[in-house]
Amino acid sequence: MAAIDSAPAYPRTPRTTPTRARDRVSYDRDLVHRVLDDGYLCHLGFVRDGAPVVLPTLYARLGERLYVHGSTGSRPVRSAAEEPQGLPVCLTVTHLDGLVLAKSAFHHSVNYRSVVVHGLARPVTEEAVKRRVLDAVVDQVVPGRAADCRPASARELAATALLELDLAEVSVKARTGGPNEDPEDLDLPHWSGVLPTRTAYGPPEPAGEGTAPAYLARLTR
Amino acid sequence: MAAIDSAPAYPRTPRTTPTRARDRVSYDRDLVHRVLDDGYLCHLGFVRDGAPVVLPTLYARLGERLYVHGSTGSRPVRSAAEEPQGLPVCLTVTHLDGLVLAKSAFHHSVNYRSVVVHGLARPVTEEAVKRRVLDAVVDQVVPGRAADCRPASARELAATALLELDLAEVSVKARTGGPNEDPEDLDLPHWSGVLPTRTAYGPPEPAGEGTAPAYLARLTR
């Protein structure tokens, strides 16, 4: 597996091959990692009684594995524990980068980066791994925070459910740049261009005393 | 159906009843509408060959119906056209409102609002409806924009695929407020509180000449 794990791209599979906009898709490992590392909120899809379910949750990436935060008792966590091979899931992470305003309604679009991971989610059971992953999830959301809070107790770790999902069947789609226009629309009087979007943070709202730590300033600047 | 449609809450069903954090769930119709109207990006889940697929896309709400933007040829659109009853989907809209930093790693959380809609997605085929919905999607993203761009031609409408999904089986989950703390953690030296998050816009990046319109200023302010 070493050769596969260090390959510069994830292998393309039927379900990571889009039926349209194929020029926007990539399997580049570094790009996938960057998009995943830029976020912490994912939408996790699974099948329950034959119907799809999509829930938002937090994740962390450690190497070629994603970890999804859950809670003992939540549906995907219970289902994953019941499936000997793991629970089939689709985990999607999307960053919205801009609103694309074209001269025509039809060519309006958005700039985005989106990673889609297909695979089997398995429960993380080892306490040492759970401890490392819980810290990784905290640091994925606020880098530097895991070292600046009370670590989880054994009881808390037992109440934390984590799923692991290998980065094996993965694709990333992205749109960048300005609007595509029909040539005959170019002289229309409507404004066209991009309205950039990003997640903005702050200012911090303290619950008690003390100065907001420096690692928050990296987010709020 | 009139009585149901005007009821102040959506009926609770087995799959909109959470297995945990039940105090965070609501079926309030106005709250659901507000959360949906605050966004335009959704994650659409469906089942393909027995496995879940989750894709980001744009939506608009018109009354008690959601419309999902697609493209002829995309997988969910083709699947919806092949299913006489419609394609079983789960449509989820999530707003991240804040990062919740507690004294303990375990009590870290996020503030969010998330609507989950279960139902059957059907293709929109009538040209007049497609035109109205395409405008609604443009206005859902940038309110006021649909009236300030060239309307879709018949050819463009034919190339636009839209799915409709009734708001019938719907729930909204939300977390607000500061960190929950174990009483014995309260004196720990770590900063605790909330780092608010929001989607920030701008400044506009024009593709050509002209002043950015006033309806963009409502987003960038």
Side-chain angles (χ1 to χ4, degrees):
Chain A
M1 293 298 283
I4 292 175
D5 281 347
S6 62
Y10 294 102
R12 197 168 63 120
T13 71
R15 61 183 174 180
T16 62
T17 301
T19 54
R20 54 175 294 276
R22 293 193 184 200
D23 53 316
R24 292 184 185 166
V25 75
S26 162
Y27 307 93
D28 183 81
R29 192 177 298 266
D30 287 341
L31 178 59
V32 165
H33 288 182
R34 280 200 304 277
V35 172
L36 291 172
D37 294 353
D38 268 2
Y40 44 81
L41 178 73
C42 66
H43 281 80
L44 183 73
F46 56 100
V47 180
R48 180 167 175 258
D49 298 336
V53 181
V54 178
L55 298 178
T57 187
L58 302 175
Y59 70 91
R61 180 180 77 87
L62 287 174
E64 292 298 333
R65 193 166 275 174
L66 291 184
Y67 293 91
V68 181
H69 189 258
S71 171
T72 53
S74 71
R75 284 212 172 95
V77 167
R78 291 197 308 193
S79 300
E82 287 161 8
E83 300 270 350
Q85 305 298 318
L87 177 72
V89 298
C90 179
L91 184 152
T92 300
V93 174
T94 304
H95 304 299
L96 189 72
D97 295 327
L99 311 181
V100 181
L101 282 70
K103 303 274 187 179
S104 61
F106 182 73
H107 281 300
H108 276 65
S109 188
V110 293
N111 285 336
Y112 66 96
R113 292 161 292 149
S114 185
V115 163
V116 176
V117 182
H118 298 272
L120 297 167
R122 300 171 303 269
V124 178
T125 51
E126 244 184 281
E127 184 175 310
V129 180
K130 287 176 83 168
R131 181 176 299 280
R132 198 157 50 94
V133 170
L134 185 58
D135 280 356
V137 172
V138 169
D139 272 345
Q140 182 99 18
V141 181
V142 181
R145 178 64 180 181
D148 185 27
C149 59
R150 176 178 64 70
S153 66
R155 184 184 54 80
E156 289 171 339
L157 284 179
T160 302
L162 298 160
L163 299 178
E164 61 177 34
L165 171 65
D166 290 336
L167 289 174
E169 196 169 351
V170 187
S171 62
V172 54
K173 254 178 124 173
R175 187 200 189 279
T176 58
N180 301 322
E181 304 281 12
D182 288 342
E184 59 268 33
D185 289 338
L186 283 171
D187 290 333
L188 291 176
H190 314 296
W191 187 89
S192 66
V194 175
L195 190 62
T197 65
R198 66 187 171 86
T199 302
Y201 295 91
E205 297 172 351
E209 306 293 309
T211 312
Y215 51 77
L216 286 188
R218 288 202 298 272
L219 295 173
T220 55
R221 71 179 169 202
Chain B
M1 292 294 284
I4 291 175
D5 281 347
S6 61
Y10 294 103
R12 197 167 65 120
T13 71
R15 58 183 176 180
T16 61
T17 302
T19 53
R20 53 175 293 277
R22 293 192 183 198
D23 53 318
R24 292 185 186 166
V25 76
S26 162
Y27 308 91
D28 183 81
R29 192 177 299 265
D30 288 340
L31 178 59
V32 165
H33 289 183
R34 281 201 304 276
V35 171
L36 291 172
D37 295 353
D38 267 1
Y40 44 81
L41 178 72
C42 66
H43 281 80
L44 183 73
F46 56 100
V47 179
R48 182 168 173 257
D49 298 336
V53 181
V54 178
L55 298 177
T57 189
L58 302 175
Y59 71 90
R61 180 179 78 85
L62 287 174
E64 291 298 333
R65 192 167 276 175
L66 290 183
Y67 293 91
V68 181
H69 188 258
S71 170
T72 54
S74 71
R75 285 214 171 93
V77 167
R78 293 198 306 192
S79 300
E82 288 161 8
E83 300 270 351
Q85 304 299 318
L87 176 72
V89 298
C90 179
L91 185 152
T92 301
V93 174
T94 305
H95 304 300
L96 189 72
D97 295 327
L99 312 181
V100 181
L101 284 72
K103 303 274 187 180
S104 60
F106 181 73
H107 281 300
H108 277 64
S109 187
V110 293
N111 285 337
Y112 67 95
R113 292 160 294 148
S114 186
V115 164
V116 176
V117 183
H118 298 271
L120 297 167
R122 299 169 305 269
V124 179
T125 51
E126 244 184 281
E127 184 175 308
V129 180
K130 286 175 84 167
R131 181 176 300 280
R132 198 156 52 92
V133 170
L134 185 57
D135 279 356
V137 172
V138 169
D139 271 345
Q140 183 98 18
V141 181
V142 181
R145 177 64 181 181
D148 185 26
C149 57
R150 177 177 64 70
S153 66
R155 183 183 56 80
E156 289 171 338
L157 283 178
T160 303
L162 297 161
L163 299 178
E164 61 176 34
L165 172 66
D166 289 336
L167 289 174
E169 197 170 350
V170 186
S171 62
V172 54
K173 254 179 122 172
R175 187 200 189 280
T176 58
N180 301 322
E181 305 280 13
D182 287 342
E184 58 268 34
D185 290 335
L186 282 172
D187 290 333
L188 290 177
H190 314 297
W191 187 90
S192 67
V194 175
L195 189 62
T197 67
R198 65 187 172 89
T199 302
Y201 295 90
E205 299 173 350
E209 306 293 310
T211 313
Y215 50 77
L216 287 188
R218 288 203 298 271
L219 295 172
T220 56
R221 71 176 168 204

